[in-house]
PDB file of all heavy atoms in Angstrom:
ATOM      1  N   MET A 159     -13.355  -1.842  35.290  1.00  0.00           N
ATOM      2  CA  MET A 159     -14.305  -0.878  34.790  1.00  0.00           C
ATOM      3  C   MET A 159     -15.635  -1.589  34.516  1.00  0.00           C
ATOM      4  O   MET A 159     -15.642  -2.578  33.869  1.00  0.00           O
ATOM      5  CB  MET A 159     -13.819  -0.169  33.546  1.00  0.00           C
ATOM      6  CG  MET A 159     -14.796   0.809  32.950  1.00  0.00           C
ATOM      7  SD  MET A 159     -14.156   1.563  31.445  1.00  0.00           S
ATOM      8  CE  MET A 159     -13.983   0.094  30.430  1.00  0.00           C
ATOM      9  N   SER A 165     -28.040   4.208  26.665  1.00  0.00           N
ATOM     10  CA  SER A 165     -28.868   4.696  25.578  1.00  0.00           C
ATOM     11  C   SER A 165     -29.142   6.190  25.794  1.00  0.00           C
ATOM     12  O   SER A 165     -29.114   6.659  26.949  1.00  0.00           O
ATOM     13  CB  SER A 165     -30.196   3.947  25.517  1.00  0.00           C
ATOM     14  OG  SER A 165     -30.922   4.135  26.679  1.00  0.00           O
ATOM     15  N   LEU A 169     -36.232  12.733  22.301  1.00  0.00           N
ATOM     16  CA  LEU A 169     -37.624  13.138  22.179  1.00  0.00           C
ATOM     17  C   LEU A 169     -37.719  14.145  21.070  1.00  0.00           C
ATOM     18  O   LEU A 169     -36.940  15.100  20.984  1.00  0.00           O
ATOM     19  CB  LEU A 169     -38.139  13.752  23.474  1.00  0.00           C
ATOM     20  CG  LEU A 169     -38.017  12.940  24.722  1.00  0.00           C
ATOM     21  CD1 LEU A 169     -38.417  13.754  25.958  1.00  0.00           C
ATOM     22  CD2 LEU A 169     -38.834  11.691  24.642  1.00  0.00           C
ATOM     23  N   GLY A 178     -37.498  24.952   8.237  1.00  0.00           N
ATOM     24  CA  GLY A 178     -36.517  25.020   7.179  1.00  0.00           C
ATOM     25  C   GLY A 178     -35.087  24.812   7.646  1.00  0.00           C
ATOM     26  O   GLY A 178     -34.162  24.700   6.876  1.00  0.00           O
ATOM     27  N   ASP A 196     -17.730   9.628  30.405  1.00  0.00           N
ATOM     28  CA  ASP A 196     -18.221   9.149  29.119  1.00  0.00           C
ATOM     29  C   ASP A 196     -17.534   9.866  27.996  1.00  0.00           C
ATOM     30  O   ASP A 196     -17.115  11.057  28.030  1.00  0.00           O
ATOM     31  CB  ASP A 196     -19.734   9.415  29.000  1.00  0.00           C
ATOM     32  CG  ASP A 196     -20.537   8.520  29.889  1.00  0.00           C
ATOM     33  OD1 ASP A 196     -19.990   7.489  30.311  1.00  0.00           O
ATOM     34  OD2 ASP A 196     -21.725   8.773  30.115  1.00  0.00           O
ATOM     35  N   PHE A 199     -19.908  10.099  21.062  1.00  0.00           N
ATOM     36  CA  PHE A 199     -19.780   9.535  19.729  1.00  0.00           C
ATOM     37  C   PHE A 199     -20.759  10.203  18.793  1.00  0.00           C
ATOM     38  O   PHE A 199     -21.903  10.468  19.129  1.00  0.00           O
ATOM     39  CB  PHE A 199     -20.072   8.040  19.736  1.00  0.00           C
ATOM     40  CG  PHE A 199     -19.023   7.200  20.399  1.00  0.00           C
ATOM     41  CD1 PHE A 199     -18.895   7.141  21.787  1.00  0.00           C
ATOM     42  CD2 PHE A 199     -18.131   6.451  19.617  1.00  0.00           C
ATOM     43  CE1 PHE A 199     -17.939   6.362  22.388  1.00  0.00           C
ATOM     44  CE2 PHE A 199     -17.144   5.689  20.178  1.00  0.00           C
ATOM     45  CZ  PHE A 199     -17.059   5.624  21.580  1.00  0.00           C
ATOM     46  N   ASP A 206     -18.633   8.161   6.671  1.00  0.00           N
ATOM     47  CA  ASP A 206     -17.921   6.865   6.512  1.00  0.00           C
ATOM     48  C   ASP A 206     -17.209   6.432   7.836  1.00  0.00           C
ATOM     49  O   ASP A 206     -16.565   5.400   7.810  1.00  0.00           O
ATOM     50  CB  ASP A 206     -16.891   6.920   5.420  1.00  0.00           C
ATOM     51  CG  ASP A 206     -17.550   6.945   4.052  1.00  0.00           C
ATOM     52  OD1 ASP A 206     -18.731   6.539   3.946  1.00  0.00           O
ATOM     53  OD2 ASP A 206     -16.888   7.396   3.071  1.00  0.00           O
ATOM     54  N   GLY A 230     -20.577   4.542   4.285  1.00  0.00           N
ATOM     55  CA  GLY A 230     -21.895   5.046   4.535  1.00  0.00           C
ATOM     56  C   GLY A 230     -22.515   4.537   5.817  1.00  0.00           C
ATOM     57  O   GLY A 230     -23.193   3.531   5.807  1.00  0.00           O
ATOM     58  N   ALA A 233     -26.567   4.208  10.981  1.00  0.00           N
ATOM     59  CA  ALA A 233     -26.921   4.306  12.406  1.00  0.00           C
ATOM     60  C   ALA A 233     -25.946   3.509  13.217  1.00  0.00           C
ATOM     61  O   ALA A 233     -25.234   2.618  12.695  1.00  0.00           O
ATOM     62  CB  ALA A 233     -28.372   3.777  12.616  1.00  0.00           C
ATOM     63  N   GLY A 265     -10.336   2.651  24.830  1.00  0.00           N
ATOM     64  CA  GLY A 265     -10.714   3.608  23.782  1.00  0.00           C
ATOM     65  C   GLY A 265     -10.357   3.216  22.401  1.00  0.00           C
ATOM     66  O   GLY A 265     -10.366   4.029  21.481  1.00  0.00           O
ATOM     67  N   HIS A 266     -10.073   1.907  22.137  1.00  0.00           N
ATOM     68  CA  HIS A 266      -9.778   1.405  20.779  1.00  0.00           C
ATOM     69  C   HIS A 266     -10.814   0.357  20.421  1.00  0.00           C
ATOM     70  O   HIS A 266     -11.314  -0.363  21.275  1.00  0.00           O
ATOM     71  CB  HIS A 266      -8.377   0.799  20.724  1.00  0.00           C
ATOM     72  CG  HIS A 266      -7.309   1.777  21.173  1.00  0.00           C
ATOM     73  ND1 HIS A 266      -6.722   1.658  22.401  1.00  0.00           N
ATOM     74  CD2 HIS A 266      -6.727   2.814  20.544  1.00  0.00           C
ATOM     75  CE1 HIS A 266      -5.780   2.651  22.517  1.00  0.00           C
ATOM     76  NE2 HIS A 266      -5.803   3.371  21.413  1.00  0.00           N
ATOM     77  N   SER A 273     -21.576  -8.828   9.256  1.00  0.00           N
ATOM     78  CA  SER A 273     -22.650  -9.664   8.737  1.00  0.00           C
ATOM     79  C   SER A 273     -22.483  -9.986   7.274  1.00  0.00           C
ATOM     80  O   SER A 273     -22.052  -9.167   6.477  1.00  0.00           O
ATOM     81  CB  SER A 273     -24.020  -8.921   8.918  1.00  0.00           C
ATOM     82  OG  SER A 273     -24.061  -7.775   8.123  1.00  0.00           O
ATOM     83  N   GLY A 317     -27.221 -13.688  14.163  1.00  0.00           N
ATOM     84  CA  GLY A 317     -27.586 -14.564  13.064  1.00  0.00           C
ATOM     85  C   GLY A 317     -29.047 -14.719  12.841  1.00  0.00           C
ATOM     86  O   GLY A 317     -29.465 -15.289  11.807  1.00  0.00           O
ATOM     87  N   ALA A 340     -33.965  12.320  35.655  1.00  0.00           N
ATOM     88  CA  ALA A 340     -35.213  11.637  35.997  1.00  0.00           C
ATOM     89  C   ALA A 340     -36.306  12.606  36.444  1.00  0.00           C
ATOM     90  O   ALA A 340     -37.484  12.252  36.427  1.00  0.00           O
ATOM     91  CB  ALA A 340     -34.985  10.604  37.103  1.00  0.00           C
ATOM     92  N   LEU A 347     -32.543  21.882  21.333  1.00  0.00           N
ATOM     93  CA  LEU A 347     -31.443  22.423  20.594  1.00  0.00           C
ATOM     94  C   LEU A 347     -31.838  22.682  19.141  1.00  0.00           C
ATOM     95  O   LEU A 347     -32.591  21.919  18.558  1.00  0.00           O
ATOM     96  CB  LEU A 347     -30.228  21.468  20.622  1.00  0.00           C
ATOM     97  CG  LEU A 347     -29.592  21.097  21.952  1.00  0.00           C
ATOM     98  CD1 LEU A 347     -30.303  19.963  22.606  1.00  0.00           C
ATOM     99  CD2 LEU A 347     -28.126  20.759  21.751  1.00  0.00           C
ATOM    100  N   ILE A 372     -24.648  23.907  15.765  1.00  0.00           N
ATOM    101  CA  ILE A 372     -24.697  22.565  16.381  1.00  0.00           C
ATOM    102  C   ILE A 372     -25.019  21.491  15.329  1.00  0.00           C
ATOM    103  O   ILE A 372     -26.000  21.616  14.596  1.00  0.00           O
ATOM    104  CB  ILE A 372     -25.757  22.496  17.481  1.00  0.00           C
ATOM    105  CG1 ILE A 372     -25.422  23.522  18.599  1.00  0.00           C
ATOM    106  CG2 ILE A 372     -25.785  21.098  18.105  1.00  0.00           C
ATOM    107  CD1 ILE A 372     -26.471  23.605  19.658  1.00  0.00           C
ATOM    108  N   ALA A 398     -15.798  21.955  16.795  1.00  0.00           N
ATOM    109  CA  ALA A 398     -15.842  22.526  18.131  1.00  0.00           C
ATOM    110  C   ALA A 398     -16.692  21.640  19.044  1.00  0.00           C
ATOM    111  O   ALA A 398     -17.589  20.966  18.555  1.00  0.00           O
ATOM    112  CB  ALA A 398     -16.395  23.932  18.079  1.00  0.00           C
ATOM    113  N   PHE A 454     -29.298  41.188  -1.132  1.00  0.00           N
ATOM    114  CA  PHE A 454     -29.182  42.630  -0.748  1.00  0.00           C
ATOM    115  C   PHE A 454     -27.854  42.918  -0.064  1.00  0.00           C
ATOM    116  O   PHE A 454     -27.562  44.069   0.144  1.00  0.00           O
ATOM    117  CB  PHE A 454     -30.347  42.981   0.183  1.00  0.00           C
ATOM    118  CG  PHE A 454     -31.684  42.576  -0.326  1.00  0.00           C
ATOM    119  CD1 PHE A 454     -32.359  41.494   0.194  1.00  0.00           C
ATOM    120  CD2 PHE A 454     -32.259  43.272  -1.368  1.00  0.00           C
ATOM    121  CE1 PHE A 454     -33.579  41.127  -0.279  1.00  0.00           C
ATOM    122  CE2 PHE A 454     -33.495  42.921  -1.890  1.00  0.00           C
ATOM    123  CZ  PHE A 454     -34.175  41.835  -1.317  1.00  0.00           C
ATOM    124  N   ASN A 469     -10.115  43.445  -1.114  1.00  0.00           N
ATOM    125  CA  ASN A 469      -8.674  43.318  -1.027  1.00  0.00           C
ATOM    126  C   ASN A 469      -8.192  41.905  -1.235  1.00  0.00           C
ATOM    127  O   ASN A 469      -7.025  41.619  -1.034  1.00  0.00           O
ATOM    128  CB  ASN A 469      -8.145  43.857   0.307  1.00  0.00           C
ATOM    129  CG  ASN A 469      -8.720  43.099   1.526  1.00  0.00           C
ATOM    130  OD1 ASN A 469      -9.261  41.984   1.377  1.00  0.00           O
ATOM    131  ND2 ASN A 469      -8.641  43.697   2.684  1.00  0.00           N
ATOM    132  N   GLY A 505     -17.754  45.313   9.489  1.00  0.00           N
ATOM    133  CA  GLY A 505     -17.299  44.424  10.550  1.00  0.00           C
ATOM    134  C   GLY A 505     -15.800  44.207  10.491  1.00  0.00           C
ATOM    135  O   GLY A 505     -15.157  44.726   9.605  1.00  0.00           O
ATOM    136  N   THR A 518       9.573  18.468  16.447  1.00  0.00           N
ATOM    137  CA  THR A 518       9.827  17.140  15.931  1.00  0.00           C
ATOM    138  C   THR A 518      10.706  16.352  16.876  1.00  0.00           C
ATOM    139  O   THR A 518      11.467  16.962  17.690  1.00  0.00           O
ATOM    140  CB  THR A 518      10.399  17.181  14.543  1.00  0.00           C
ATOM    141  OG1 THR A 518      10.504  15.882  13.991  1.00  0.00           O
ATOM    142  CG2 THR A 518      11.815  17.761  14.584  1.00  0.00           C
ATOM    143  N   THR A 533      10.681  -9.152  27.537  1.00  0.00           N
ATOM    144  CA  THR A 533       9.784 -10.011  28.341  1.00  0.00           C
ATOM    145  C   THR A 533       8.660 -10.601  27.489  1.00  0.00           C
ATOM    146  O   THR A 533       8.428 -11.790  27.535  1.00  0.00           O
ATOM    147  CB  THR A 533       9.167  -9.193  29.494  1.00  0.00           C
ATOM    148  OG1 THR A 533      10.217  -8.587  30.236  1.00  0.00           O
ATOM    149  CG2 THR A 533       8.269 -10.066  30.351  1.00  0.00           C
ATOM    150  N   GLY A 547      10.660  21.176  20.278  1.00  0.00           N
ATOM    151  CA  GLY A 547       9.672  22.216  20.462  1.00  0.00           C
ATOM    152  C   GLY A 547       9.288  22.466  21.870  1.00  0.00           C
ATOM    153  O   GLY A 547       9.009  21.531  22.651  1.00  0.00           O
ATOM    154  N   ILE A 555       1.816   7.993  18.844  1.00  0.00           N
ATOM    155  CA  ILE A 555       2.440   6.983  18.006  1.00  0.00           C
ATOM    156  C   ILE A 555       1.458   6.588  16.880  1.00  0.00           C
ATOM    157  O   ILE A 555       0.298   6.372  17.161  1.00  0.00           O
ATOM    158  CB  ILE A 555       2.885   5.713  18.796  1.00  0.00           C
ATOM    159  CG1 ILE A 555       3.669   4.746  17.941  1.00  0.00           C
ATOM    160  CG2 ILE A 555       1.752   5.114  19.507  1.00  0.00           C
ATOM    161  CD1 ILE A 555       5.042   5.215  17.540  1.00  0.00           C
ATOM    162  N   MET A 570      -3.590   6.535  13.804  1.00  0.00           N
ATOM    163  CA  MET A 570      -3.222   6.655  15.219  1.00  0.00           C
ATOM    164  C   MET A 570      -3.268   5.286  15.935  1.00  0.00           C
ATOM    165  O   MET A 570      -4.183   4.512  15.747  1.00  0.00           O
ATOM    166  CB  MET A 570      -4.092   7.657  15.927  1.00  0.00           C
ATOM    167  CG  MET A 570      -5.528   7.246  16.156  1.00  0.00           C
ATOM    168  SD  MET A 570      -5.785   6.453  17.757  1.00  0.00           S
ATOM    169  CE  MET A 570      -7.575   6.300  17.760  1.00  0.00           C
TER     170      MET A 570
END
Side-chain angles (χ1 to χ4, degrees):
M159 177 181 62
S165 62
L169 305 174
D196 288 343
F199 287 78
D206 288 339
H266 304 101
S273 66
L347 300 85
I372 300 175
F454 310 106
N469 61 16
T518 186
T533 304
I555 185 73
M570 70 94 172

